[in-house]
Amino acid sequence: MLVTLLPGVREIRTPLTVGYTWLLALWLAIGHRIPEPDRAYGLVADVYRLAHAAGLVAVGIAVSVGAYIVGVIATQLGLSLTYAVGDAIRRTPAGAITPGHNREKRATDAIVYLVVTRLAERLSEDEAFRGKVIEQLIAHPPPDPPAETSADCEGLLLASLWDRHWAIRRTVEVENVAVQLRTDHFGILWRLRGVSDPAALEHDRL
């Protein structure tokens, strides 16, 4: 029972903490301007009366809900701003010195390698796909082609994993595929969270 609740607790922990921090900062900024209950009037007086009628427990729950909502909004805005600023800086010459540069490069290289590997596997199994790749290689041959005819090219691709990787990189814009996969990574995270297996739970913990 407790194990099934832990992912949900982890899900609300960060926005709740951020929300309480923002409410505390707001209180420190404008708390001294809020009148005491005996001198309050208008909306502030109504809030005091509602809090008195509801009790401390209800007030605590209401504050926690408000903190969670504030935290969700602030967290999303903060992440979006961080990603936007980081992406903008990485597009400049100063991008190479940013903390996320090497991480982004390693992630992109790993996705490109994965795409090439999967397509190379498909190249050896899917005859129609292999035919299209061979057509591209014959139509736009490299300076020193490893094979002259379609039959020779197909034999090389079926025999050598290295040649399959080379053919995929010559004919498929794998970098564009990697970019599309990177843009879908949030969707991948949500799909992982919807699966209740040990790998998904471990990802959520990390």
Side-chain angles (χ1 to χ4, degrees):
M1 179 67 178
L2 183 60
V3 174
T4 59
L5 291 176
L6 284 178
V9 173
R10 289 193 293 267
E11 194 71 27
I12 68 173
R13 178 181 58 194
T14 298
L16 197 60
T17 303
V18 172
Y20 275 128
T21 303
W22 273 103
L23 290 182
L24 176 61
L26 186 63
W27 175 259
L28 293 176
I30 66 171
H32 63 282
R33 297 178 177 273
I34 301 176
E36 296 295 330
D38 55 345
R39 291 187 293 176
Y41 62 91
L43 180 61
V44 177
D46 293 338
V47 172
Y48 276 129
R49 283 195 297 270
L50 180 61
H52 179 74
L56 290 177
V57 175
V59 171
I61 294 174
V63 171
S64 297
V65 171
Y68 177 76
I69 294 173
V70 171
V72 168
I73 297 173
T75 301
Q76 188 59 47
L77 289 176
L79 286 175
S80 299
L81 180 62
T82 301
Y83 291 147
V85 172
D87 186 63
I89 294 176
R90 280 191 293 273
R91 294 175 186 272
T92 68
I97 64 173
T98 58
H101 174 76
N102 290 332
R103 182 178 65 248
E104 293 287 331
K105 187 176 185 304
R106 287 197 303 269
T108 301
D109 291 344
I111 293 175
V112 167
Y113 179 78
L114 178 62
V115 170
V116 172
T117 302
R118 293 294 178 86
L119 290 178
E121 293 173 359
R122 181 183 172 189
L123 191 63
S124 64
E125 301 169 356
D126 189 338
E127 185 176 353
F129 178 59
R130 187 166 62 249
K132 292 180 180 180
V133 171
I134 292 173
E135 287 178 6
Q136 290 290 326
L137 290 174
I138 297 299
H140 306 283
D144 187 16
E148 298 292 341
T149 66
S150 298
D152 292 339
C153 189
E154 184 172 15
L156 283 175
L157 295 182
L158 291 175
S160 171
L161 176 62
W162 186 92
D163 285 323
R164 288 196 293 272
H165 276 245
W166 170 82
I168 291 299
R169 288 189 173 272
R170 284 285 306 179
T171 58
V172 180
E173 295 180 352
V174 290
E175 286 77 11
N176 291 343
V177 178
V179 170
Q180 293 175 7
L181 290 174
R182 288 301 301 272
T183 57
D184 190 44
H185 73 285
F186 282 120
I188 295 173
L189 297 183
W190 283 112
R191 288 197 294 273
L192 268 177
R193 291 172 180 173
V195 179
S196 298
D197 61 26
L201 293 176
E202 182 69 10
H203 166 269
D204 191 64
R205 185 186 69 80
L206 293 174

